[in-house]
Amino acid sequence: EGVVREYTGLKAVKMVYENILKELQPHDDYCVISNQEEWYKLDADFFQKFIEKRAKLPINIRLILTDTPSAHEAKKFERNYNEKVKILPVETSLSTNLIITPQKVVIHRLIEPISALVLTDPTIIQMHKESFEIMWNSMKNTE
């Protein structure tokens, strides 16, 4: 098992998301920096089901989202989905999703060609986690 694996195509990327949910342990941190609008557009049914499955897990979900209608929607319903949401400055645009769990870092490219890089090196996971915490703690709660 290498430190970096690449998955190409939406089907492979969906498998990466399913594996994330399988590997999570109770009380794990699940941190995301995302353009939720673009992410959702890739397959609204699949990702809605993913959010619902994730919401049932006893984990700490925090999302930092670009300023889109779906981000404001997520903020409004964060309690329903066991999430805490913060919204990035309006000028921020992202074409990748970043997911950080204790097991891995996933960098998911939202534009063609759709792909995901999965990194499992503990030092890389730690660095992303610390960067996420710095961002999270420096952002005020919008709305």
Side-chain angles (χ1 to χ4, degrees), residues 76-123:
K76 205 185 304 175
F77 295 108
E78 57 185 359
R79 277 179 200 81
N80 302 12
Y81 292 111
N82 181 31
E83 301 168 345
K84 289 192 179 88
V85 176
K86 289 189 178 183
I87 296 174
L88 287 159
V90 76
E91 63 279 2
T92 314
S93 74
L94 298 173
S95 52
T96 57
N97 244 8
L98 179 70
I99 302 150
I100 308 153
T101 70
Q103 296 81 18
K104 58 180 54 157
V105 168
V106 176
I107 301 165
H108 168 201
R109 189 181 149 101
L110 300 170
I111 53 176
E112 293 293 342
I114 306 294
S115 63
L117 285 180
V118 178
L119 303 103
T120 52
D121 180 303
T123 59

Side-chain angles (χ1 to χ4, degrees), residues 15 19 36 76 85 97 115 141 143:
M15 195 188 72
N19 288 338
Q36 188 155 294
K76 205 185 304 175
V85 176
N97 244 8
S115 63
N141 255 322
E143 286 172 67

Side-chain angles (χ1 to χ4, degrees), residues 62-78:
R62 286 179 296 161
L63 313 176
I64 296 176
L65 304 176
T66 53
D67 192 335
T68 62
S70 82
H72 289 279
E73 194 79 353
K75 178 84 188 141
K76 205 185 304 175
F77 295 108
E78 57 185 359

Side-chain angles (χ1 to χ4, degrees), residues 25-72:
Q25 302 297 311
H27 313 296
D28 274 356
D29 282 319
Y30 181 99
C31 305
V32 174
I33 301 171
S34 170
N35 178 335
Q36 188 155 294
E37 200 94 344
E38 292 304 312
W39 178 70
Y40 212 71
K41 269 188 211 160
L42 293 175
D43 185 334
D45 283 351
F46 176 84
F47 287 117
Q48 182 58 38
K49 286 191 183 81
F50 173 83
I51 290 170
E52 288 165 11
K53 270 188 249 172
R54 185 181 68 192
K56 293 187 175 88
L57 299 174
I59 55 173
N60 308 315
I61 305 165
R62 286 179 296 161
L63 313 176
I64 296 176
L65 304 176
T66 53
D67 192 335
T68 62
S70 82
H72 289 279

